[in-house]
Amino acid sequence: MAGSSHGHGHTPAAWTGVIIAFIGFCVAGVFMVANSPVGFWAGFALILLGAVIGGAMKMAGLGTPKDPDHVVAARERAAARENVTV
């Protein structure tokens, strides 16, 4: 299917980054309600840490691999053929 996002985000790097960021979001939310600025900023730091760790894991090869140039070109040609109106 054209425009499919098969495999999008289903990698160890994505899952790890999102889980860490989610925990940080929960921590920041609890401490925001508890009126504790230090705890809120600690949760916010966890959110940023999730992004950094996810990015580092992707650079280490645990993310979605990039397609070779000839695969990208073939995909673009196929998409162009599908968009031709007769």
Side-chain angles (χ1 to χ4, degrees):
M1 169 167 40
S4 174
S5 63
H6 176 71
H8 177 75
H10 299 289
T11 64
W15 278 101
T16 303
V18 168
I19 289 170
I20 293 171
F22 178 72
I23 291 169
F25 176 79
C26 292
V27 168
V30 166
F31 282 106
M32 182 174 56
V33 172
N35 196 22
S36 173
V38 174
F40 169 79
W41 289 110
F44 192 79
L46 277 175
I47 294 170
L48 296 177
L49 182 66
V52 170
I53 290 175
M57 289 178 70
K58 181 178 178 183
M59 289 183 357
L62 295 171
T64 304
K66 292 189 176 193
D67 291 329
D69 290 338
H70 69 279
V71 173
V72 173
R75 186 178 299 130
E76 289 172 354
R77 285 192 305 271
R81 282 192 298 260
E82 286 182 11
N83 293 331
V84 174
T85 57
V86 178

